[in-house]
């Protein structure tokens, strides 16, 4: 429509009206939008240019996730949205080059995807799939940064021995003993811990 209203932005992003107004004031101050209280929001020429760059970055990243890492489309869109604000131009250019390389060399893409599939199968030894009463060594801790930080802070570190004490009937929670302490992990947390039986 070439314009938006504050309520449109609130609905689409699922944020508070006050947050939108605060952001619009900053964008207006930086010359990216024309906005006055109770009026329509319109991009300036500079804002349109910035929006186009962000849109291109999002699409490049989404294409890389879908076509190179073959992540399902809706998930790739979500991931791209979270990652796009943290990518610099150098990394984005290299990802675009990798996407193009594999588009021009489909046999190599297939080979790489087979390798990734095999790697994922080999690393299926996560704590949530193990049996109670056994001892394991932590090989790696995966997952999003917050989950990883939480597990590491509890002492679930690579190289550490873990005794799997008990598993609830539905697999959640999982009781472990690590460094002399008993801990209760949710299934999601246990799924992030790659272990090897010892």
């Amino acid at each position: 429509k070439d314009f938006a209203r504050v309520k449109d932005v609130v609905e689409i992003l699922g944020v508070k009206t006050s947050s939108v107004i605060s952001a619009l004031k900053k964008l207006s101050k930086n010359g990216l939008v024309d906005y006055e209280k109770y009026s329509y929001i319109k991009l300036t020429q500079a804002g349109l240019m910035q929006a186009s760059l962000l849109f291109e970055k999002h699409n490049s990243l989404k294409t890389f996730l879908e076509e190179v890492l073959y992540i399902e489309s809706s998930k790739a869109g979500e991931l791209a949205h979270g990652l796009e604000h943290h990518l610099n131009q150098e990394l984005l250019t290299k990802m675009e080059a990798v996407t193009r390389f594999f588009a021009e060399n489909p046999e190599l893409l297939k080979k790489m995807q087979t390798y990734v599939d095999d790697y994922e199968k080999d690393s299926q030894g996560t704590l949530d799939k193990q049996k109670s009463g056994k001892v394991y060594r932590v090989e790696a801790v995966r997952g999003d940064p917050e989950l990883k930080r939480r597990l590491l802070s509890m002492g679930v570190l690579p190289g550490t021995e873990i005794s799997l004490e008990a598993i609830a009937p539905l697999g959640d929670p999982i009781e472990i003993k690590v460094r002399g302490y008993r801990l209760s992990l949710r299934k999601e947390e246990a799924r992030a811990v790659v272990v090897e039986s010892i």
Side-chain angles (χ1 to χ4, degrees):
K1 291 189 257 183
D2 200 35
F3 67 87
R5 294 166 297 187
V6 169
K7 74 171 193 172
D8 298 329
V9 181
V10 168
E11 283 172 18
I12 291 166
L13 297 181
V15 293
K16 293 180 182 175
T17 303
S18 57
S19 300
V20 173
I21 291 169
S22 172
L24 287 171
K25 284 178 183 174
K26 286 179 189 170
L27 291 168
S28 182
K29 190 177 176 184
N30 291 333
L32 299 173
V33 296
D34 283 328
Y35 168 73
E36 286 177 23
K37 205 172 181 183
Y38 307 118
S39 70
Y40 292 125
I41 307 158
K42 290 192 79 167
L43 289 169
T44 62
Q45 203 57 40
L48 192 58
M49 179 73 106
Q50 189 66 31
S52 296
L53 291 171
L54 282 170
F55 184 70
E56 282 177 32
K57 184 187 268 193
H58 177 86
N59 282 344
S60 290
L61 184 49
K62 188 170 182 281
T63 301
F64 176 81
L65 294 170
E66 282 178 358
E67 295 181 13
V68 177
L69 301 184
Y70 58 104
I71 291 171
E72 185 240 319
S73 185
S74 60
K75 205 177 211 181
E78 237 177 81
L79 287 167
H81 182 68
L83 292 169
E84 64 198 21
H85 305 290
H86 306 288
L87 286 183
N88 62 22
Q89 191 55 49
E90 181 188 7
L91 181 54
L92 184 65
T93 301
K94 287 182 177 176
M95 288 171 81
E96 288 171 341
V98 169
T99 303
R100 180 176 287 179
F101 173 80
F102 281 124
E104 293 170 4
N105 298 279
E107 71 289 345
L108 290 177
L109 175 63
K110 188 70 187 154
K111 194 173 180 182
M112 188 273 294
Q113 289 174 340
T114 301
Y115 179 87
V116 171
D117 284 340
D118 291 344
Y119 179 83
E120 285 179 338
K121 283 174 195 159
D122 289 345
S123 62
Q124 289 304 306
T126 51
L127 193 56
D128 63 307
K129 294 189 174 93
Q130 308 309 316
K131 295 178 181 175
S132 60
K134 292 193 172 184
V135 179
Y136 301 90
R137 182 180 295 107
V138 177
E139 293 292 303
V141 179
R142 299 195 176 139
D144 66 76
E146 178 56 31
L147 174 61
K148 196 170 178 179
R149 186 197 61 75
R150 191 163 66 243
L151 287 165
L152 294 173
S153 70
M154 289 191 289
V156 182
L157 304 162
T160 306
E161 288 185 11
I162 285 180
S163 172
L164 186 46
E165 302 289 302
I167 303 170
L170 297 175
D172 201 350
I174 293 170
E175 297 287 331
I176 65 166
K177 195 172 183 181
V178 57
R179 297 176 181 262
Y181 296 97
R182 288 180 77 92
L183 295 173
S184 185
L185 299 181
R186 296 193 320 268
K187 196 166 188 176
E188 175 204 2
E189 293 171 323
R191 197 179 293 129
V193 183
V194 180
V195 294
E196 180 184 48
S197 183
I198 55 174

